[in-house]
Amino acid sequence: MTEKIEHGNHFLSRWKEISQEHKKRGAVFHADGSVQASFDSLAEGAARRAEALLKAHDRPRVLLMAENSCEWVEFFLGVWLAGGVIVPCESMMEESAVREIEALAGTNLRVRCGTRDSNGMEIQRSPTENPIPDVHADLFKVTSGTSSGRRLIAFTAGQLLADADQLAKGMGISSSDRNLALISFAHSYGLSSLVGLLMARGVSMVPWNDPLPRALGGVLQTSGATVFPGVPAMFRGLAATQARSSSLRLCISAGAPLPSADAKTFLDQCGQKIHSFYGASECGGICYDASGEALRPDGFVGMALPGVHLKPRQTEEGIKLAIRSPAVGSGYFPSRNGDAISAACFHPADILEDCDGGYRIIGRESDFINIAGRKVNPSEIEQVLLTDPRVQEAVVFAVLSDSSRGEVPASCVVGEISEPELKTLCALNLPPWQIPRHWFFVSEIPKNSRGKISRKDLALRFGQ
């Protein structure tokens, strides 16, 4: 059975080569730097998981729900060894959302663990047998569903393998490296940068699930990690602890544009440059800042990764990209007219501009505020607000005007500063029509279920 599956699954074939090449070398490490699993023991564990899955169902289609762990990787490999399809999901997803995804993907099994303190994984039968969608896929990624309902993005193993190879080449990551695996394996970023690099390039990892800055700083010092893929908020927290690691050589930030102020603070306090990375669930990695320049402008993401071909198109708001890559997914399920994936090309909604040595993200198409026919990028207003040191965070978004004549800017602010002071600051630096009409002072900017700041969600929350 395994030989037949590997013939059609190029990622599994690569994994077999990697596990044979590295055998006794550590693949998964504990936080203290000791080996939890070697490459050959990980392969043996995956084979056992495949047998268990086949006993549970002869055609396993698995919803994989667990925190980052060695067992997660074993089950991931085990599903493919059993000839199955994988749907990675966040570990704490509500039951109603789980059932919605099961119905979409036609899954028949769940693999999950119960608590953060237990890595004991169990196989459960899905409550109902759902029809299998007529889509060829080895893995489905799940969209957030915040705007138009959840959908699936179909991927073959070959597309996922191409993404892992492009990331390794573009970022200069090799089998001599060790990833600190805090980004969720269920998220596209973690799936590619952590699980993908382990399987395709032999890059070992240290699974970790505690994002608190002091705990994170501690594991960086003890684990021997050389690469840390994170998001801006993680680096902001680490900078506050002044955490340093003698083994760490590469810090990578993705998930949201990196503010240059955060990059400078981290460099000053922790002695490391943060390399920005730009990717999307639909196509994996897109751009990467491989430069050695310590500080780059806000939102700088560098140039296209190897194997990724960008076709820029100038619009009124800025540059929109068409992305061609062997890592672009096969499409959405269910599909809709005007989908962003078509003919092996992905069209993201992000707006960029040319920047010295690459591109800079300046917003998303849906984020631009239409003020009486004039469009404004909310990040331009945010940059003005952040010039006052008392403003810790500021997010600008569109709400409907009181007169119902269109949109006006509003802002959520974290900081010890008054509305009149902010209005005066804006009046000195912005035209009157760009000054926020509504101000909301909060202790923390609300985030969505994926831990991201969404202007659309803020507009729904505060714009009533």
Side-chain angles (χ1 to χ4, degrees), residues 96-119:
S96 59
V98 172
R99 295 205 176 197
E100 178 187 357
I101 295 164
E102 286 177 328
L104 278 174
T107 57
N108 45 47
L109 298 175
R110 297 182 192 177
V111 172
R112 66 191 308 171
C113 70
T115 67
R116 172 170 293 186
D117 299 325
S118 171
N119 281 331

Side-chain angles (χ1 to χ4, degrees), residues 276 278 286-291 293 296-305 310 312 319 321 351-362:
S276 290
Y278 170 43
I286 301 170
C287 293
Y288 177 68
D289 170 21
S291 74
E293 295 184 48
R296 304 295 294 179
D298 285 353
F300 183 77
V301 292
M303 304 183 71
L305 286 161
L310 306 181
I319 294 173
L321 296 175
I351 305 295
L352 300 90
E353 68 177 15
D354 281 317
C355 194
D356 181 30
Y359 289 101
R360 185 173 81 92
I361 298 175
I362 60 174

Side-chain angles (χ1 to χ4, degrees), residues 317 353 360 362 368 375-387 396 429-431 433-434 455:
E317 295 89 357
E353 68 177 15
R360 185 173 81 92
I362 60 174
F368 277 69
K375 291 187 178 181
V376 61
N377 182 352
S379 67
E380 295 177 0
I381 305 173
E382 291 165 358
Q383 289 172 23
V384 170
L385 298 176
L386 291 168
T387 59
V396 174
N429 295 278
L430 295 169
W433 58 277
Q434 290 189 12
R455 298 184 205 275

